[in-house]
Amino acid sequence: MADPTEAAPGSVEEEKTDRINDAELALKGINMLLNNGFKESDELFRAYRNHSPLMSFGASFVSFLNAMMTFEEEKMQMAFEDLKATERLCESENTGVIETIKNKIKRSVDSQRSGMAAVDRLQRQIIIADCQVYLAVLSFIKQELSSYIKGGWILRKAWKMYNKCYSDITQLQEGSRRRASEQPAAPPMSLSVSDQSSHSRSSSPGPSPAHRLDGISLEALDRLKGSVSFGYGLFHLCISMVPPHLLKIVNLLGFPGDRLQGLSALMYASESKDMKAPLATLALLWYHTVVQPFFALDGTDTQTGLVEAKSILQRREAIYPNSSLFMFFKGRVQRLECQISSALTSFRDALDLASDQREIQHVCLYEIGWCSMIELNYREAYMAFERLKTESRWSQCYYAYLTGVCQGATGDLEGAALVFKDVQRLFKRKNNQIEMFSLKRAEKLRCPSLSKELCILSVIEILYLWKALPNCSPAKLETMAQVLQGIDDASCAGLKNLLLGAVHKCLNKTKDAIQYFHLAARDEVGRLSNSYVQPYSCYELGCVLLNTPESAGKGRMLMLQAKEDYAGYDFENRLHVRIHSALASMRAAAQP
């Protein structure tokens, strides 16, 4: 990875006066981005967008990253258009790389030119596949059946290209090693690719190994292998997150999704010299601190992956000491370790470091709001979410709901009632699960019987659904239990018992948790208003029973019941992913 100190924002016009090395310039742009130079990075890539496929891809990636950080429709559409433009730029170069190299070597005595052409061809194919993966991710975000299917078809094309590129690069690497072993003492002008690289490291400075007469250097191949491994790894992670009931369709499309293989590929990419090495590092941090705990991808253990995330942060701390993104992920690790005070400090530091980057500020504000809810500091949470409701264009409806329940939890019921009215006005996406949930909950809370306790119940519900209860301290959990036990409302009895079960589970009071989950699973009164309560209760009860060998069979039965006996409830796909992960973990544990 290039030294970020060399990637300080500078004049784009000055760069144009020099001979451009795409790989180095692209890495420089990415390092700008990670050192809080989002604007400078965007300017650099866009200035050279039409110079080469690699720089075009860099510009499109920055656009995609902005979309992923904000989830704003406008930015997602812009990212879509940018990625399609890069894809079109590369599509003229789509023939087999091995045949291209053979033909060019036969026709040309200039091996330097043929080698550079081969690298360019490989680079274009990898970029096309990368663009298709990002387009699929933009599709999956919509969380609609048609979007999953469309994304699957896009990924199918990407998978074929990744396989082809990976195979071609592997063949070239093997050929280089074979020639190296056959010609260990060849003179410099007839060195094999591997020998050229070795010779260049042990002799006086001269032409780059990539420009030697035998074509492509091992350094270039290693960089390309890192490049393809980044997309290949993300591809596998995307497929592994497809809801289980769609996996059969995905498998019919012609590819599997192996989470561990994806993580291994991302690790390889993160240690390479490709421009995407730091991006692979961020992808690993995102997976270990956001995706894995949210979807419970290793059963119910939200701590899994934190050791790896902390190791990554420690290795990169000296390189990116003031990066808002790395500071953000440091806060995520601290939050998952229940160090909420330290997490709040990290998120506020990241907020200050991202003074010129609105999107990073918003994700930091979001985390500040969540940490404040975890601490039951409703006023601080209300202030963070109110700012997001005003500034963010992602889901103002969702932010309005969070603002309302936190404001009501402070005791300001009149102000909360006004915000709940805003939820309906700000509701825009009928097919978005989160907005639909926010709308239904806000409508229910717009009633004469609205109380501070009901708003606190709604806050606890949000913490539960977003897997944040395990981050709460025992003292805060006890406070939640006291509030819940004092609520006497038949319409939310099932939800109350589900939340009490979840709280007692976090307090390691297993017997009490089982009792409350049983009550929630049997509740019929609140089934219409809290349609997810029964399947989630079956899942939670199953998770508890799976921990004991004597009751593991019953736990598995309850998991399957939650999966098969209920449909059409809130966050159904989310629960299916968790059930699938829990059963997979049980099968893995049963193997010798």
Side-chain angles (χ1 to χ4, degrees), residues 397-409:
C397 169
Y398 170 56
Y399 290 140
Y401 176 68
L402 292 177
T403 301
V405 295
C406 290
Q407 190 169 1

Side-chain angles (χ1 to χ4, degrees), residues 240-371:
S240 72
M241 287 186 285
V242 170
H245 65 281
L246 295 178
L247 281 178
K248 290 183 180 179
I249 298 175
V250 170
N251 289 334
L252 286 174
L253 291 173
F255 43 75
D258 188 325
R259 193 186 329 140
L260 294 179
Q261 192 169 356
L263 290 172
S264 176
L266 283 174
M267 185 61 72
Y268 181 96
S270 72
E271 299 298 331
S272 74
K273 295 181 179 179
D274 186 68
M275 66 167 278
K276 288 178 281 188
L279 303 180
T281 299
L282 289 179
L284 288 167
L285 289 171
W286 167 75
Y287 173 80
H288 288 308
T289 67
V290 179
V291 176
Q292 189 181 42
F294 180 74
F295 285 107
L297 292 178
D298 286 288
T300 59
D301 182 12
T302 59
Q303 300 300 309
T304 304
L306 287 185
V307 172
E308 182 60 33
K310 289 175 72 174
S311 175
I312 291 171
L313 287 170
Q314 288 170 359
R315 294 198 302 269
R316 298 293 187 265
E317 189 172 10
I319 304 174
Y320 301 107
N322 297 310
S323 168
S324 59
L325 283 170
F326 279 90
M327 187 63 70
F328 168 82
F329 283 116
K330 180 180 179 181
R332 284 291 306 179
V333 169
Q334 290 166 331
R335 173 183 152 181
L336 292 169
E337 291 183 326
C338 303
Q339 300 174 21
I340 306 304
S341 178
S342 297
L344 279 167
T345 299
S346 294
F347 290 132
R348 286 173 179 140
D349 287 345
L351 183 67
D352 292 338
L353 289 168
S355 57
D356 295 328
Q357 185 57 36
R358 186 171 62 96
E359 289 77 14
I360 295 291
Q361 286 189 327
H362 286 171
V363 295
C364 292
L365 277 172
Y366 184 71
E367 288 294 337
I368 289 170
W370 272 90
C371 285

Side-chain angles (χ1 to χ4, degrees), residues 83-312:
L83 289 165
K84 294 297 288 185
T86 297
E87 193 177 23
R88 286 193 298 270
L89 181 65
C90 298
E91 276 178 343
S92 61
E93 301 287 334
N94 57 7
T95 58
V97 175
I98 295 296
E99 287 303 313
T100 299
I101 296 171
K102 289 179 179 177
N103 292 337
K104 284 186 176 290
I105 289 177
K106 287 178 182 177
R107 295 195 305 264
S108 174
V109 296
D110 190 348
S111 62
Q112 172 184 333
R113 188 171 300 170
S114 67
M116 291 175 66
V119 169
D120 180 67
R121 183 68 57 86
L122 278 165
Q123 188 71 75
R124 285 172 182 261
Q125 290 191 330
I126 294 169
I127 288 171
I128 291 173
D130 285 338
C131 288
Q132 290 169 347
V133 169
Y134 301 153
L135 289 167
V137 171
L138 291 174
S139 233
F140 288 144
I141 287 171
K142 297 178 181 178
Q143 296 185 336
E144 302 167 7
L145 178 61
S146 60
S147 297
Y148 283 125
I149 294 174
K150 179 181 177 182
W153 280 109
I154 297 173
L155 284 176
R156 183 173 182 268
K157 293 194 297 180
W159 172 242
K160 289 183 175 181
M161 297 199 76
Y162 281 135
N163 266 347
K164 178 63 176 170
C165 289
Y166 194 89
S167 175
D168 286 346
I169 293 170
T170 301
Q171 287 184 50
L172 290 170
Q173 287 178 318
E174 290 174 351
S176 293
R177 294 189 187 99
R178 186 169 55 251
R179 289 194 300 274
S181 63
E182 291 171 355
Q183 302 178 13
M189 290 304 292
S190 59
L191 288 175
S192 68
V193 171
S194 180
D195 288 332
Q196 289 174 25
S197 302
S198 176
H199 179 77
S200 69
R201 290 191 295 268
S202 60
S203 61
S204 60
S208 166
H211 297 165
R212 300 294 178 120
L213 293 181
D214 277 3
I216 310 175
S217 71
L218 275 176
E219 286 85 353
L221 290 176
D222 288 343
R223 183 185 67 77
L224 289 172
K225 188 72 168 285
S227 181
V228 74
S229 293
F230 174 67
Y232 183 79
L234 277 183
F235 169 87
H236 274 286
L237 285 184
C238 285
I239 296 302
S240 72
M241 287 186 285
V242 170
H245 65 281
L246 295 178
L247 281 178
K248 290 183 180 179
I249 298 175
V250 170
N251 289 334
L252 286 174
L253 291 173
F255 43 75
D258 188 325
R259 193 186 329 140
L260 294 179
Q261 192 169 356
L263 290 172
S264 176
L266 283 174
M267 185 61 72
Y268 181 96
S270 72
E271 299 298 331
S272 74
K273 295 181 179 179
D274 186 68
M275 66 167 278
K276 288 178 281 188
L279 303 180
T281 299
L282 289 179
L284 288 167
L285 289 171
W286 167 75
Y287 173 80
H288 288 308
T289 67
V290 179
V291 176
Q292 189 181 42
F294 180 74
F295 285 107
L297 292 178
D298 286 288
T300 59
D301 182 12
T302 59
Q303 300 300 309
T304 304
L306 287 185
V307 172
E308 182 60 33
K310 289 175 72 174
S311 175
I312 291 171

Side-chain angles (χ1 to χ4, degrees), residues 263-548:
L263 290 172
S264 176
L266 283 174
M267 185 61 72
Y268 181 96
S270 72
E271 299 298 331
S272 74
K273 295 181 179 179
D274 186 68
M275 66 167 278
K276 288 178 281 188
L279 303 180
T281 299
L282 289 179
L284 288 167
L285 289 171
W286 167 75
Y287 173 80
H288 288 308
T289 67
V290 179
V291 176
Q292 189 181 42
F294 180 74
F295 285 107
L297 292 178
D298 286 288
T300 59
D301 182 12
T302 59
Q303 300 300 309
T304 304
L306 287 185
V307 172
E308 182 60 33
K310 289 175 72 174
S311 175
I312 291 171
L313 287 170
Q314 288 170 359
R315 294 198 302 269
R316 298 293 187 265
E317 189 172 10
I319 304 174
Y320 301 107
N322 297 310
S323 168
S324 59
L325 283 170
F326 279 90
M327 187 63 70
F328 168 82
F329 283 116
K330 180 180 179 181
R332 284 291 306 179
V333 169
Q334 290 166 331
R335 173 183 152 181
L336 292 169
E337 291 183 326
C338 303
Q339 300 174 21
I340 306 304
S341 178
S342 297
L344 279 167
T345 299
S346 294
F347 290 132
R348 286 173 179 140
D349 287 345
L351 183 67
D352 292 338
L353 289 168
S355 57
D356 295 328
Q357 185 57 36
R358 186 171 62 96
E359 289 77 14
I360 295 291
Q361 286 189 327
H362 286 171
V363 295
C364 292
L365 277 172
Y366 184 71
E367 288 294 337
I368 289 170
W370 272 90
C371 285
S372 298
M373 283 200 298
I374 288 169
E375 289 282 272
L376 304 185
N377 187 340
Y378 305 120
R379 188 168 301 281
E380 288 293 325
Y382 149 67
M383 292 171 63
F385 292 131
E386 184 181 44
R387 181 175 164 187
L388 285 169
K389 178 175 76 77
T390 303
E391 295 181 9
S392 175
R393 283 176 290 175
W394 174 57
S395 180
Q396 290 178 306
C397 169
Y398 170 56
Y399 290 140
Y401 176 68
L402 292 177
T403 301
V405 295
C406 290
Q407 190 169 1
T410 68
D412 183 3
L413 301 180
E414 185 177 342
L418 292 174
V419 177
F420 290 141
K421 289 182 181 179
D422 281 344
V423 172
Q424 186 172 19
R425 178 178 60 83
L426 297 170
F427 175 70
K428 296 178 181 178
R429 296 180 288 179
K430 293 182 180 180
N431 294 322
N432 184 279
Q433 292 181 357
I434 295 175
E435 290 207 359
M436 282 297 299
F437 171 81
S438 300
L439 179 65
K440 288 189 291 185
R441 283 292 183 266
E443 287 177 347
K444 184 182 178 184
L445 290 171
R446 288 174 59 190
C447 62
S449 60
L450 178 64
S451 66
K452 177 179 177 179
E453 289 71 26
L454 284 177
C455 289
I456 294 175
L457 178 142
S458 299
V459 170
I460 300 171
E461 178 186 29
I462 289 288
L463 291 172
Y464 166 73
L465 287 171
W466 268 256
K467 298 286 289 184
L469 283 180
N471 306 149
C472 299
S473 69
K476 301 301 181 186
L477 291 169
E478 292 286 4
T479 301
M480 292 179 198
Q482 290 174 10
V483 173
L484 291 170
Q485 287 166 347
I487 295 175
D488 185 18
D489 187 332
S491 68
C492 61
L495 175 59
K496 166 187 166 180
N497 286 321
L498 171 61
L499 298 179
L500 277 168
V503 167
H504 282 86
K505 178 183 172 185
C506 292
L507 288 168
N508 294 317
K509 298 180 178 180
T510 306
K511 289 184 179 180
D512 290 336
I514 290 174
Q515 180 183 351
Y516 284 119
F517 288 141
H518 271 302
L519 289 172
R522 290 197 297 265
D523 179 72
E524 292 291 338
V525 176
R527 184 168 185 171
L528 292 177
S529 58
N530 302 308
S531 60
Y532 72 86
V533 167
Q534 288 185 313
Y536 270 72
S537 298
C538 287
Y539 160 76
E540 292 289 358
L541 192 54
C543 284
V544 174
L545 296 177
L546 281 176
N547 291 329
T548 306

Side-chain angles (χ1 to χ4, degrees), residues 52-71:
S52 71
L54 194 61
M55 296 306 291
S56 175
F57 170 73
S60 295
F61 177 80
V62 173
S63 178
F64 171 77
L65 186 62
N66 272 325
M68 291 301 295
M69 288 190 300
T70 62
F71 288 95

Side-chain angles (χ1 to χ4, degrees), residues 75-89:
K75 290 189 180 297
M76 286 195 282
Q77 181 60 34
M78 183 183 298
F80 175 85
E81 292 171 0
D82 286 342
L83 289 165
K84 294 297 288 185
T86 297
E87 193 177 23
R88 286 193 298 270
L89 181 65

